[in-house]
Protein backbone atom coordinates (compact mmCIF):
# COMPACT_ATOMS: atom_id res chain seq x y z
CA UNK A 1 0.00 0.00 0.00
CA UNK A 2 2.98 2.26 -0.58
CA UNK A 3 1.92 5.66 -1.90
CA UNK A 4 -0.02 5.02 -5.06
CA UNK A 5 0.34 8.54 -6.39
CA UNK A 6 2.11 9.38 -9.62
CA UNK A 7 5.69 8.20 -9.80
CA UNK A 8 8.35 10.02 -11.73
CA UNK A 9 11.46 8.14 -12.80
CA UNK A 10 14.49 10.34 -12.84
CA UNK A 11 17.86 9.79 -14.44
CA UNK A 12 20.85 8.68 -12.37
CA UNK A 13 22.60 11.72 -11.11
CA UNK A 14 26.28 12.23 -11.65
CA UNK A 15 26.47 16.00 -11.50
CA UNK A 16 25.93 18.85 -9.05
CA UNK A 17 22.89 19.97 -11.05
CA UNK A 18 21.24 16.57 -10.70
CA UNK A 19 21.86 16.53 -6.97
CA UNK A 20 20.40 20.02 -6.58
CA UNK A 21 17.34 18.95 -8.57
CA UNK A 22 16.82 15.97 -6.30
CA UNK A 23 17.25 18.07 -3.17
CA UNK A 24 14.67 20.54 -4.48
CA UNK A 25 12.16 17.73 -5.05
CA UNK A 26 12.89 16.34 -1.60
CA UNK A 27 12.26 19.75 -0.06
CA UNK A 28 9.00 20.14 -1.96
CA UNK A 29 7.87 16.71 -0.84
CA UNK A 30 7.98 17.95 2.72
CA UNK A 31 5.55 20.82 2.14
CA UNK A 32 5.16 24.09 0.29
CA UNK A 33 2.66 26.63 -0.93
CA UNK A 34 -0.77 25.78 -2.25
CA UNK A 35 0.70 25.93 -5.73
CA UNK A 36 3.16 23.20 -4.77
CA UNK A 37 0.55 20.76 -3.52
CA UNK A 38 0.50 18.99 -6.87
CA UNK A 39 4.15 17.97 -6.38
CA UNK A 40 4.58 14.22 -6.73
CA UNK A 41 3.99 12.31 -3.53
CA UNK A 42 6.55 9.75 -4.54
CA UNK A 43 9.77 10.23 -6.48
CA UNK A 44 11.66 7.25 -7.84
CA UNK A 45 15.21 7.28 -9.08
CA UNK A 46 18.12 4.89 -9.26
CA UNK A 47 21.23 5.92 -7.37
CA UNK A 48 24.26 4.30 -5.78
CA UNK A 49 24.57 3.87 -2.04
CA UNK A 50 27.31 6.50 -1.92
CA UNK A 51 25.04 8.98 -3.66
CA UNK A 52 22.17 8.24 -1.30
CA UNK A 53 24.37 8.67 1.75
CA UNK A 54 25.53 12.04 0.45
CA UNK A 55 21.90 13.10 0.76
CA UNK A 56 21.93 12.19 4.43
CA UNK A 57 20.21 8.82 4.14
CA UNK A 58 21.67 6.07 6.31
CA UNK A 59 20.53 2.79 4.76
CA UNK A 60 20.45 -0.41 6.79
CA UNK A 61 23.70 -2.35 7.15
CA UNK A 62 22.11 -5.53 5.77
CA UNK A 63 22.21 -4.09 2.25
CA UNK A 64 25.50 -2.25 2.65
CA UNK A 65 27.33 -4.90 0.65
CA UNK A 66 25.91 -3.33 -2.53
CA UNK A 67 28.03 -0.20 -2.13
CA UNK A 68 29.91 0.44 -5.34
CA UNK A 69 28.64 -2.79 -6.93
CA UNK A 70 24.98 -2.40 -7.77
CA UNK A 71 22.54 0.45 -8.33
CA UNK A 72 18.98 -0.01 -7.18
CA UNK A 73 15.79 2.08 -7.02
CA UNK A 74 15.30 4.41 -4.09
CA UNK A 75 11.77 5.65 -3.48
CA UNK A 76 11.42 8.95 -1.67
CA UNK A 77 8.06 8.68 0.10
CA UNK A 78 6.11 11.52 1.66
CA UNK A 79 4.24 9.88 4.53
CA UNK A 80 1.41 12.24 5.40
CA UNK A 81 -1.09 9.85 6.97
CA UNK A 82 -3.11 9.18 3.82
CA UNK A 83 -1.78 5.66 3.31
CA UNK A 84 -2.12 4.83 7.00
CA UNK A 85 -5.75 5.98 6.87
CA UNK A 86 -6.31 3.82 3.78
CA UNK A 87 -4.93 0.84 5.70
CA UNK A 88 -7.23 1.48 8.68
CA UNK A 89 -10.24 1.67 6.34
CA UNK A 90 -9.16 -1.34 4.27
CA UNK A 91 -11.03 -4.66 4.73
CA UNK A 92 -7.66 -6.30 5.48
CA UNK A 93 -7.13 -4.11 8.57
CA UNK A 94 -8.73 -6.49 11.07
CA UNK A 95 -6.97 -9.63 9.83
CA UNK A 96 -3.55 -7.96 9.62
CA UNK A 97 -3.86 -6.37 13.05
CA UNK A 98 -5.12 -9.63 14.55
CA UNK A 99 -1.98 -11.32 13.19
CA UNK A 100 0.18 -8.57 14.71
CA UNK A 101 -1.52 -8.74 18.12
CA UNK A 102 -1.34 -12.54 18.09
CA UNK A 103 2.41 -12.36 17.47
CA UNK A 104 2.71 -10.05 20.50
CA UNK A 105 0.58 -12.41 22.59
CA UNK A 106 -2.97 -11.39 23.41
CA UNK A 107 -2.89 -13.28 26.70
CA UNK A 108 0.26 -11.69 28.07
CA UNK A 109 -1.66 -9.29 30.34
CA UNK A 110 0.19 -6.32 28.89
CA UNK A 111 -0.87 -2.73 29.32
CA UNK A 112 -2.65 -1.06 26.42
CA UNK A 113 0.38 1.18 25.88
CA UNK A 114 2.66 -1.87 25.54
CA UNK A 115 0.40 -3.44 22.92
CA UNK A 116 0.24 -0.22 20.95
CA UNK A 117 4.01 0.30 21.05
CA UNK A 118 4.73 -3.27 19.94
CA UNK A 119 2.06 -3.15 17.23
CA UNK A 120 3.21 0.16 15.74
CA UNK A 121 6.74 -1.28 15.47
CA UNK A 122 5.36 -3.97 13.16
CA UNK A 123 3.63 -1.51 10.85
CA UNK A 124 5.74 -0.68 7.81
CA UNK A 125 5.78 1.83 4.97
CA UNK A 126 3.47 -0.61 3.21
CA UNK A 127 0.89 0.28 5.86
CA UNK A 128 1.71 3.98 5.59
CA UNK A 129 3.78 4.10 8.78
CA UNK A 130 7.32 5.58 8.84
CA UNK A 131 9.94 3.50 10.70
CA UNK A 132 9.36 3.63 14.45
CA UNK A 133 13.06 2.90 15.00
CA UNK A 134 13.83 6.49 14.00
CA UNK A 135 14.09 8.73 17.08
CA UNK A 136 12.34 11.63 15.34
CA UNK A 137 9.36 9.45 14.37
CA UNK A 138 9.14 8.08 17.90
CA UNK A 139 9.44 11.47 19.62
CA UNK A 140 7.42 13.59 17.18
CA UNK A 141 4.72 11.20 15.96
CA UNK A 142 4.27 8.09 18.10
CA UNK A 143 4.77 9.43 21.62
CA UNK A 144 2.55 12.53 21.11
CA UNK A 145 -0.11 10.26 19.56
CA UNK A 146 -0.03 7.97 22.59
CA UNK A 147 -0.32 10.97 24.89
CA UNK A 148 -3.30 12.30 22.93
CA UNK A 149 -4.98 8.87 22.92
CA UNK A 150 -4.72 8.38 26.70
CA UNK A 151 -5.89 11.94 27.28
CA UNK A 152 -9.18 11.14 25.56
CA UNK A 153 -9.93 7.70 27.02
CA UNK A 154 -10.88 6.48 30.46
CA UNK A 155 -11.31 3.28 32.42
CA UNK A 156 -9.70 0.05 31.23
CA UNK A 157 -8.33 1.68 28.09
CA UNK A 158 -5.76 3.41 30.31
CA UNK A 159 -4.46 0.23 31.92
CA UNK A 160 -4.54 -3.50 31.28
CA UNK A 161 -6.41 -5.05 28.39
CA UNK A 162 -9.69 -6.61 29.64
CA UNK A 163 -9.86 -10.41 29.74
CA UNK A 164 -13.17 -10.64 27.89
CA UNK A 165 -13.09 -10.12 24.12
CA UNK A 166 -9.45 -9.01 24.16
CA UNK A 167 -9.04 -9.05 20.39
CA UNK A 168 -12.07 -6.87 19.69
CA UNK A 169 -10.97 -4.40 22.35
CA UNK A 170 -7.47 -4.10 20.85
CA UNK A 171 -8.76 -3.75 17.29
CA UNK A 172 -11.20 -1.01 18.21
CA UNK A 173 -8.81 0.91 20.46
CA UNK A 174 -5.86 0.66 18.07
CA UNK A 175 -8.09 2.03 15.31
CA UNK A 176 -8.72 5.10 17.49
CA UNK A 177 -4.98 5.39 18.11
CA UNK A 178 -4.35 4.96 14.37
CA UNK A 179 -6.54 7.94 13.55
CA UNK A 180 -4.50 10.04 15.97
CA UNK A 181 -1.29 8.87 14.25
CA UNK A 182 -2.84 9.90 10.94
CA UNK A 183 -3.54 13.38 12.27
CA UNK A 184 0.01 13.82 13.54
CA UNK A 185 1.41 12.69 10.19
CA UNK A 186 -0.83 15.19 8.41
CA UNK A 187 0.52 17.95 10.61
CA UNK A 188 4.13 16.83 10.28
CA UNK A 189 4.74 14.59 7.22
CA UNK A 190 7.77 12.31 7.34
CA UNK A 191 10.03 11.82 4.31
CA UNK A 192 11.31 8.26 3.99
CA UNK A 193 13.89 6.74 1.64
CA UNK A 194 12.59 3.27 0.81
CA UNK A 195 14.37 0.56 -1.12
CA UNK A 196 13.57 -3.08 -1.67
CA UNK A 197 15.88 -5.63 -3.26
CA UNK A 198 14.54 -8.97 -4.45
CA UNK A 199 16.71 -12.02 -4.97
CA UNK A 200 15.25 -14.63 -7.29
CA UNK A 201 16.44 -17.52 -9.44
CA UNK A 202 16.39 -15.72 -12.81
CA UNK A 203 20.12 -15.03 -13.14
CA UNK A 204 21.14 -18.47 -11.86
CA UNK A 205 18.73 -20.12 -14.28
CA UNK A 206 20.11 -18.10 -17.17
CA UNK A 207 23.68 -18.89 -16.15
CA UNK A 208 23.05 -22.63 -15.84
CA UNK A 209 21.12 -22.85 -19.10
CA UNK A 210 23.44 -20.63 -21.14
CA UNK A 211 24.82 -22.23 -24.26
CA UNK A 212 28.05 -20.30 -23.85
CA UNK A 213 30.81 -21.45 -21.52
CA UNK A 214 30.48 -18.37 -19.34
CA UNK A 215 29.77 -20.41 -16.21
CA UNK A 216 32.68 -22.73 -16.93
CA UNK A 217 35.07 -19.81 -17.29
CA UNK A 218 33.68 -18.12 -14.19
CA UNK A 219 34.06 -21.32 -12.18
CA UNK A 220 37.64 -21.74 -13.40
CA UNK A 221 38.53 -18.22 -12.32
CA UNK A 222 36.72 -18.53 -8.99
CA UNK A 223 38.27 -21.88 -8.08
CA UNK A 224 41.74 -20.68 -9.08
CA UNK A 225 41.24 -17.59 -6.93
CA UNK A 226 40.44 -19.74 -3.89
CA UNK A 227 43.44 -21.98 -4.55
CA UNK A 228 46.06 -19.22 -4.83
CA UNK A 229 47.83 -20.23 -1.66
CA UNK A 230 49.02 -23.85 -2.09
CA UNK A 231 49.85 -24.09 1.60
CA UNK A 232 46.36 -23.21 2.80
CA UNK A 233 44.00 -26.09 3.36
CA UNK A 234 40.42 -24.82 3.53
CA UNK A 235 37.43 -26.99 4.43
CA UNK A 236 35.26 -27.87 1.44
CA UNK A 237 32.39 -25.71 2.71
CA UNK A 238 34.63 -22.64 2.98
CA UNK A 239 35.97 -23.17 -0.54
CA UNK A 240 32.46 -23.48 -1.95
CA UNK A 241 31.36 -20.34 -0.12
CA UNK A 242 34.38 -18.45 -1.46
CA UNK A 243 33.52 -19.58 -5.00
CA UNK A 244 29.88 -18.66 -4.35
CA UNK A 245 30.97 -15.10 -3.45
CA UNK A 246 33.13 -14.78 -6.56
CA UNK A 247 30.16 -15.77 -8.73
CA UNK A 248 27.88 -13.21 -7.05
CA UNK A 249 27.61 -10.70 -9.92
CA UNK A 250 26.62 -13.51 -12.32
CA UNK A 251 24.12 -15.21 -10.00
CA UNK A 252 22.49 -12.01 -8.75
CA UNK A 253 22.98 -13.21 -5.17
CA UNK A 254 24.68 -11.42 -2.26
CA UNK A 255 27.91 -12.64 -0.63
CA UNK A 256 27.52 -15.25 2.09
CA UNK A 257 27.02 -13.49 5.40
CA UNK A 258 25.17 -10.48 3.98
CA UNK A 259 21.54 -11.66 4.02
CA UNK A 260 20.54 -14.23 6.63
CA UNK A 261 17.64 -15.61 4.55
CA UNK A 262 20.07 -16.49 1.74
CA UNK A 263 22.64 -17.84 4.23
CA UNK A 264 20.05 -20.13 5.79
CA UNK A 265 19.12 -21.57 2.40
CA UNK A 266 22.77 -22.10 1.43
CA UNK A 267 23.57 -23.75 4.79
CA UNK A 268 20.67 -26.18 4.45
CA UNK A 269 21.71 -27.12 0.92
CA UNK A 270 25.35 -27.66 1.90
CA UNK A 271 24.18 -29.87 4.75
CA UNK A 272 22.13 -31.96 2.33
CA UNK A 273 25.13 -32.14 -0.01
CA UNK A 274 27.25 -33.45 2.90
CA UNK A 275 30.19 -31.14 2.23
CA UNK A 276 32.20 -32.82 5.02
CA UNK A 277 32.17 -36.12 3.15
CA UNK A 278 33.24 -34.35 -0.05
CA UNK A 279 36.15 -32.85 1.86
CA UNK A 280 37.40 -36.34 2.72
CA UNK A 281 37.14 -37.42 -0.92
CA UNK A 282 39.15 -34.42 -2.13
CA UNK A 283 42.03 -35.12 0.24
CA UNK A 284 43.16 -38.05 -1.94
CA UNK A 285 42.53 -36.32 -5.29
CA UNK A 286 45.10 -34.81 -7.60
CA UNK A 287 44.80 -31.04 -7.93
CA UNK A 288 43.25 -31.19 -11.41
CA UNK A 289 40.61 -33.68 -10.27
CA UNK A 290 39.99 -31.60 -7.16
CA UNK A 291 39.26 -28.54 -9.31
CA UNK A 292 36.84 -30.51 -11.48
CA UNK A 293 35.12 -31.89 -8.40
CA UNK A 294 34.76 -28.44 -6.84
CA UNK A 295 33.25 -27.08 -10.06
CA UNK A 296 30.77 -29.98 -10.11
CA UNK A 297 29.80 -29.32 -6.48
CA UNK A 298 29.35 -25.64 -7.23
CA UNK A 299 27.00 -26.40 -10.10
CA UNK A 300 24.98 -28.67 -7.79
CA UNK A 301 24.84 -25.92 -5.16
CA UNK A 302 23.61 -23.35 -7.71
CA UNK A 303 21.00 -25.75 -9.06
CA UNK A 304 19.67 -26.39 -5.56
CA UNK A 305 19.53 -22.68 -4.76
CA UNK A 306 17.67 -22.05 -8.03
CA UNK A 307 15.13 -24.78 -7.26
CA UNK A 308 14.75 -23.50 -3.69
CA UNK A 309 13.98 -19.96 -4.85
CA UNK A 310 11.61 -21.21 -7.55
CA UNK A 311 9.77 -23.62 -5.25
CA UNK A 312 9.22 -21.10 -2.48
CA UNK A 313 9.39 -17.44 -3.44
CA UNK A 314 12.01 -14.77 -4.11
CA UNK A 315 13.68 -13.32 -1.02
CA UNK A 316 13.14 -9.59 -0.53
CA UNK A 317 15.13 -7.28 1.70
CA UNK A 318 13.94 -3.75 2.34
CA UNK A 319 15.35 -0.66 4.01
CA UNK A 320 13.51 2.42 5.24
CA UNK A 321 15.32 5.51 6.45
CA UNK A 322 13.92 8.86 7.47
CA UNK A 323 15.37 11.85 5.61
CA UNK A 324 15.88 14.66 8.07
CA UNK A 325 15.53 17.95 6.20
Amino acid sequence: MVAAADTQTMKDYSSKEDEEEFMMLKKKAGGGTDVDQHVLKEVSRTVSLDAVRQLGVALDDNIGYLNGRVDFPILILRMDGEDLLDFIKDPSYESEMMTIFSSIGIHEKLYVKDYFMEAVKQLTVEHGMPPSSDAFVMNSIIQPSLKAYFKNVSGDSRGCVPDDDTTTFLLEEFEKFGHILVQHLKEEPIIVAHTQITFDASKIKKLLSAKSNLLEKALDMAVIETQKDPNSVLPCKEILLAVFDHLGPLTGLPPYGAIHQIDKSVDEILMKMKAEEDEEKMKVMENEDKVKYLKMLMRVLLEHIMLELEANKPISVSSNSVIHT
Side-chain angles (χ1 to χ4, degrees):
M1 204 175 294
V2 170
D6 294 329
T7 301
Q8 176 180 345
T9 303
M10 302 177 66
K11 61 182 182 297
D12 294 352
Y13 77 78
S14 56
S15 68
K16 185 68 175 176
E17 291 76 13
D18 286 334
E19 183 177 344
E20 288 173 353
E21 179 188 8
F22 185 41
M23 293 297 285
M24 179 187 69
L25 282 166
K26 186 180 75 171
K27 185 177 180 181
K28 284 186 176 182
T33 64
D34 291 338
V35 179
D36 291 329
Q37 293 310 307
H38 70 282
V39 171
L40 297 178
K41 185 176 181 181
E42 176 180 311
V43 179
S44 173
R45 69 181 292 164
T46 301
V47 295
S48 67
L49 278 184
D50 279 340
V52 176
R53 285 176 178 141
Q54 286 171 15
L55 297 177
V57 180
L59 293 177
D60 295 346
D61 290 339
N62 64 347
I63 59 168
Y65 69 88
L66 285 175
N67 195 10
R69 293 177 58 181
V70 180
D71 281 347
F72 55 92
I74 299 289
L75 293 180
I76 304 301
L77 305 175
R78 182 178 188 269
M79 315 212 74
D80 57 6
E82 289 184 18
D83 292 318
L84 181 57
L85 184 60
D86 287 343
F87 167 63
I88 294 172
K89 292 180 177 179
D90 194 273
S92 66
Y93 168 78
E94 286 198 7
S95 60
E96 288 199 46
M97 290 310 302
M98 281 179 66
T99 300
I100 289 175
F101 286 128
S102 295
S103 70
I104 298 169
I106 57 175
H107 302 296
E108 294 296 325
K109 302 295 181 184
L110 298 176
Y111 288 105
V112 174
K113 179 181 178 181
D114 297 326
Y115 275 109
F116 283 8
M117 286 296 287
E118 290 302 314
V120 82
K121 288 176 184 177
Q122 295 191 41
L123 294 180
T124 68
V125 294
E126 298 291 333
H127 301 104
M129 185 69 203
S132 60
S133 56
D134 185 87
F136 182 80
V137 174
M138 180 59 69
N139 296 331
S140 300
I141 303 296
I142 298 174
Q143 291 289 5
S145 297
L146 277 172
K147 187 176 180 180
Y149 167 81
F150 286 113
K151 185 178 179 180
N152 295 317
V153 297
S154 60
D156 291 335
S157 296
R158 288 179 177 273
C160 292
V161 176
D163 292 332
D164 56 318
D165 210 2
T166 300
T167 304
T168 300
F169 174 85
L170 286 172
L171 288 173
E172 291 177 351
E173 293 305 312
F174 192 83
E175 183 176 343
K176 296 175 186 176
F177 174 58
H179 281 283
I180 299 174
L181 284 171
V182 168
Q183 187 58 41
H184 275 84
L185 284 170
K186 283 183 179 179
E187 293 170 0
E188 192 163 10
I190 302 293
I191 310 303
V192 176
H194 170 76
T195 184
Q196 182 163 312
I197 309 165
T198 300
F199 302 102
D200 58 25
S202 58
K203 283 194 174 182
I204 303 178
K205 191 171 185 178
K206 184 177 180 181
L207 190 63
L208 290 172
S209 62
K211 293 181 180 179
S212 67
N213 59 351
L214 177 61
L215 177 58
E216 189 68 20
K217 289 180 180 178
L219 284 171
D220 281 334
M221 291 177 64
V223 171
I224 290 171
E225 189 68 25
T226 62
Q227 302 290 303
K228 273 186 175 180
D229 184 359
N231 297 317
S232 68
V233 181
L234 293 174
C236 180
K237 179 180 177 179
E238 289 189 26
I239 296 174
L240 289 174
L241 290 177
V243 175
F244 176 77
D245 288 354
H246 279 289
L247 294 176
L250 294 176
T251 61
L253 297 176
Y256 184 83
I259 305 296
H260 72 87
Q261 296 99 316
I262 300 286
D263 295 348
K264 182 181 177 183
S265 180
V266 171
D267 287 337
E268 289 175 354
I269 293 168
L270 287 174
M271 190 176 293
K272 290 177 184 177
M273 290 172 60
K274 299 180 180 178
E276 294 80 2
E277 294 181 14
D278 291 317
E279 188 176 331
E280 292 301 316
K281 291 179 184 177
M282 287 192 295
K283 284 181 179 178
V284 296
M285 290 182 182
E286 295 293 333
N287 192 58
E288 186 176 339
D289 293 330
K290 189 185 294 184
V291 169
K292 288 181 180 178
Y293 196 69
L294 278 171
K295 287 161 64 177
M296 182 274 292
L297 289 176
M298 197 62 220
R299 284 178 179 274
V300 173
L301 176 61
L302 291 176
E303 286 171 357
H304 277 290
I305 294 174
M306 178 186 73
L307 293 173
E308 185 88 14
L309 289 171
E310 287 181 335
N312 299 314
K313 61 180 181 179
I315 293 173
S316 292
V317 179
S318 63
S319 173
N320 301 290
S321 300
V322 174
I323 299 178
H324 298 282
T325 53

